Amino acid sequence: EIKWFVHTDLIDAGQGHDLAFYEALLDQALADSRLALEGYQGPADAVCCNQIEKKEHSPGVTLATFGTPGDGLDIQDAGDLDIYRTIGGSGSRGFLIDSINDCGGSAAIGCADLPACGGPPDDDPNRVLVITMDAYDSGVLGLVIAHERGHNACLVHTTNDPCELMRATVGGGCLSVSE
């Protein structure tokens, strides 16, 4: 479960981009991520029974805004993951922002905590992931959410089949048995 936030600078009711818009956008993206994780994407794929769900902030509230107008947190730069880690209390948190200038040294459409993992991979309950609206505009929001959540669960980039979810570029939904 992930508590979701959208930066206040993305809210534009005049353009139809209110909280209800982002709520519907997330619902569809999470349905798409479930299809990628649970479906059979090809011979390199192991069907996964994990799902990514929205967690309520309070009863009936599954999306909240964060930041203040013009604070710059709608654009991630080097070191900003530390700031996102301080927002929203404990538990896993997801942030919808405008763009990412620096995630590990390069621009991206998603960025996430990659814990120092030892032993079997684990889905740490106190991780953050940041997703840009470019992922939505490109039609890959669900895949990017699943990919970044994979990083939260100790998965690293792969360089094999284009079907693989954990490729450094947006790929398919394939996960190996070990993943």
Side-chain angles (χ1 to χ4, degrees), residues 113-153:
D113 282 328
L114 178 60
C117 302
D122 187 19
D123 182 13
D124 191 298
N126 273 318
R127 296 289 171 212
V128 299
L129 55 92
V130 182
I131 311 291
T132 70
M133 289 306 295
D134 289 337
Y136 169 71
D137 294 339
S138 299
V140 293
L141 183 60
L143 288 175
V144 175
I145 290 171
H147 174 97
E148 298 306 332
R149 192 60 177 161
H151 285 312
N152 289 162

Side-chain angles (χ1 to χ4, degrees), residues 45-109:
D45 193 21
V47 177
C48 179
C49 61
N50 290 324
Q51 292 185 8
I52 301 169
E53 300 289 341
K54 290 187 296 186
K55 181 175 180 150
E56 292 184 337
H57 292 264
S58 60
V61 177
T62 58
L63 179 63
T65 59
F66 80 100
T68 57
D71 66 5
L73 289 177
D74 62 322
I75 300 170
Q76 178 183 321
D77 289 307
D80 282 354
L81 273 182
D82 290 335
I83 295 170
Y84 297 119
R85 288 182 192 108
T86 68
I87 299 169
S90 63
S92 291
R93 285 143 297 145
F95 297 90
L96 292 174
I97 64 171
D98 184 51
S99 60
I100 297 172
N101 290 336
D102 191 329
C103 178
S106 62
I109 59 175

Side-chain angles (χ1 to χ4, degrees), residues 14-49:
Q15 295 293 318
H17 294 172
D18 55 10
L19 279 178
F21 167 80
Y22 288 102
E23 189 83 42
L25 177 147
L26 275 172
D27 287 343
Q28 183 59 55
L30 293 175
D32 293 345
S33 74
R34 278 190 287 282
L35 287 174
L37 292 172
E38 294 177 345
Y40 181 71
Q41 311 295 325
D45 193 21
V47 177
C48 179
C49 61

